[in-house]
Amino acid sequence: GLFQRHRRPRFTLADSSHSFTREEIAPVITVSLISALRLLGIFLMLPIFSAYAVRYPGASTALAGVAFGIYALIQCIFQIPLGWASDRWGRKPVLLVGLLLFSLGSIGCALANDIYGLILARALQGTGAVGAVAFAVLADLTRPSVRAQAYTVTGIAIGASFMIGLLAGPILAANIGLNGLFYLLAGLGFLSMVLTATSFPPDRRGMQSEAPMTFKAIVGQKNLKAIFTATFVLSFALNLFFFTYPLSWTEIGFDKAQLWKVYSVIFLPSILLVFPYMRRAEKAGRFRRPIMIGWLTATLGYAIYLVGANAQYDLLLYVSGAAFFFGYSIYQPMLPAFLTQQVPASGRGTASGVYNSFGFIGSSLGGMLGGALIHISPALPEFIGVSVLIGWFFLGLPVPPEADS
């Protein structure tokens, strides 16, 4: 009665095509929560891993870099097979198996007694490569007219977990140690499994009757190549940045237990500006300006870091971190939305796997090179980061789908 009378006028035919239906809201929220919970565990590690891993028996800075980067390397190997498997056998079973492997690997990390045990356990942790499955299911269960909004919601959830993780990581590590953090990761992984088992939406089986797109067809598309390049470069730059960045602060005498104060400052512009800006761009269907602003601020941030890390000026370190992360954050909701708008359902799991693989290759190289290059020269990682970001512009930034062309 009363509910119906008040409900109907609020949704006109014009509005409804750009609003989530009741059937779409549940999977968007569920996938966002699962993604945020799983990634929170990774983000808790990002700001403090290098500072703690170098203290393991047998560790060197280079081996700590291997332990940092091998997770992403193994993820990159498993993304495409698991994305393909989710096309064939359904998203839910593949997601459950991946989360179980991640959780068991996290327990292995907590029990590791030396750097080599940590490297092996991080590799096991990396086999839970379910990012492509989450990307694909969002596209399966939403209409094209609301898909960018769906990725924005998931992007907001992941962005929130990123900020919480990087702010809380230094505090938690100071209190429970690195092994305590790994137990927390395992707990978050098991919680994600429970959420998947009880709340994950059913598969839409219709897509499985279509002939799948080939790997060659996906990687050969020009517009998709620019998206794959973007996620590679940004992931490389992020891991290279966050391997060396906490070390730059500890070198100028900053206590690593207080690093959360640094991250709370550098994330503030992104918290206040990035997601409202992206929501407005999505509504207008205009992405060219955000693409350019994102690249420019990330590159300037890295260039300032090159100067600030060598001069050991804390103000320059703050500005560089804030600028780089702002530019990085602008790209996170755009890239998966661009990808799934240009790939049919028959190629979605595989395409998402390719996308995530490029990202994890970048992450792995960034983490490993961070440890190796810093031995040659403290300025070398920052110089490489700036060079890669500038080179990316000349290779070609991503092109928005048709709405803005």
Side-chain angles (χ1 to χ4, degrees):
L2 186 62
F3 175 75
Q4 294 292 340
R5 283 198 301 274
H6 283 284
R7 181 173 176 268
R8 282 178 182 163
R10 297 175 70 178
F11 295 93
T12 66
L13 285 174
D15 294 333
S16 63
S17 66
H18 295 283
S19 301
F20 292 125
T21 63
R22 190 172 293 183
E23 290 75 22
E24 288 169 330
I25 290 171
V28 168
I29 292 173
T30 302
V31 170
S32 297
L33 283 172
I34 290 168
S35 300
L37 277 175
R38 187 182 69 87
L39 290 172
L40 175 60
I42 305 306
F43 298 149
L44 285 166
M45 288 290 163
L46 201 55
I48 50 86
F49 189 91
S50 56
Y52 282 82
V54 292
R55 298 180 351 197
Y56 271 69
S60 65
T61 310
L63 284 173
V66 172
F68 188 59
I70 197 167
Y71 169 84
L73 177 63
I74 300 299
Q75 281 264 326
C76 122
I77 293 168
F78 278 80
Q79 285 291 330
I80 297 171
L82 290 185
W84 177 87
S86 77
D87 281 341
R88 287 291 173 273
W89 298 298
R91 312 294 187 209
K92 186 172 182 176
V94 175
L95 195 55
L96 285 169
V97 169
L99 289 169
L100 177 62
L101 290 169
F102 170 80
S103 301
L104 293 175
S106 299
I107 292 171
C109 289
L111 297 172
N113 293 317
D114 58 31
I115 192 68
Y116 300 103
L118 183 63
I119 290 169
L120 286 173
R122 286 279 286 171
L124 176 60
Q125 203 184 29
T127 61
V130 293
V133 184
F135 273 19
V137 81
L138 271 187
D140 295 344
L141 298 172
T142 55
R143 292 161 294 144
S145 60
V146 296
R147 195 163 297 153
Q149 294 178 61
Y151 282 108
T152 304
V153 172
T154 302
I156 291 169
I158 291 172
S161 74
F162 190 94
M163 291 162 196
I164 292 167
L166 268 68
L167 292 173
I171 301 171
L172 288 169
N175 287 285
I176 61 176
L178 195 61
N179 63 331
L181 265 184
F182 279 122
Y183 281 123
L184 181 59
L185 259 68
L188 290 170
F190 286 123
L191 181 59
S192 297
M193 285 183 68
V194 171
L195 192 58
T196 301
T198 57
S199 306
F200 201 71
D203 288 317
R204 288 186 177 172
R205 294 283 177 179
M207 60 177 287
Q208 296 182 7
S209 64
E210 301 175 33
M213 280 184 74
T214 64
F215 174 82
K216 186 177 179 181
I218 288 167
V219 297
Q221 287 190 36
K222 185 180 178 183
N223 285 351
L224 298 189
K225 279 182 183 175
I227 294 170
F228 298 147
T229 301
T231 192
F232 170 84
V233 169
L234 288 166
S235 300
F236 174 86
L238 182 75
N239 265 33
L240 187 64
F241 191 94
F242 278 108
F243 187 87
T244 58
Y245 192 70
L247 298 176
S248 296
W249 281 100
T250 55
E251 278 172 18
I252 62 173
F254 208 85
D255 184 352
K256 61 180 176 293
Q258 301 297 311
L259 282 173
W260 66 270
K261 295 177 181 176
V262 171
Y263 294 117
S264 67
V265 172
I266 68 170
F267 296 147
L268 192 60
S270 298
I271 292 167
L272 296 177
L273 301 172
V274 168
F275 288 116
Y277 177 49
M278 287 310 307
R279 283 200 296 273
R280 195 174 75 174
E282 285 173 338
K283 260 187 171 179
R286 297 185 180 277
F287 291 103
R288 291 190 186 277
R289 186 174 293 172
I291 285 168
M292 186 55 65
I293 289 173
W295 170 79
L296 190 61
T297 52
T299 305
L300 281 174
Y302 234 118
I304 294 166
Y305 182 40
L306 176 60
V307 176
N310 292 312
Q312 297 195 338
Y313 293 144
D314 56 355
L315 179 61
L316 289 181
L317 288 177
Y318 277 121
V319 171
S320 68
F324 172 75
F325 187 70
F326 181 85
Y328 172 87
S329 297
I330 280 178
Y331 272 90
Q332 294 319 293
M334 289 193 295
L335 294 177
F338 290 0
L339 178 73
T340 56
Q341 285 171 26
Q342 297 178 69
V343 177
S346 59
R348 211 166 272 149
T350 306
S352 297
V354 174
Y355 173 86
N356 284 313
S357 289
F358 272 95
F360 279 113
I361 292 169
S363 296
S364 178
L365 285 174
M368 291 182 180
L369 281 176
L373 295 175
I374 207 166
H375 278 301
I376 302 168
S377 164
L380 193 54
E382 290 84 64
F383 177 76
I384 295 294
V386 173
S387 302
V388 167
L389 286 165
I390 291 171
W392 175 32
F393 178 82
F394 292 103
L395 276 174
L397 301 179
V399 177
E402 43 195 58
D404 164 65
S405 54

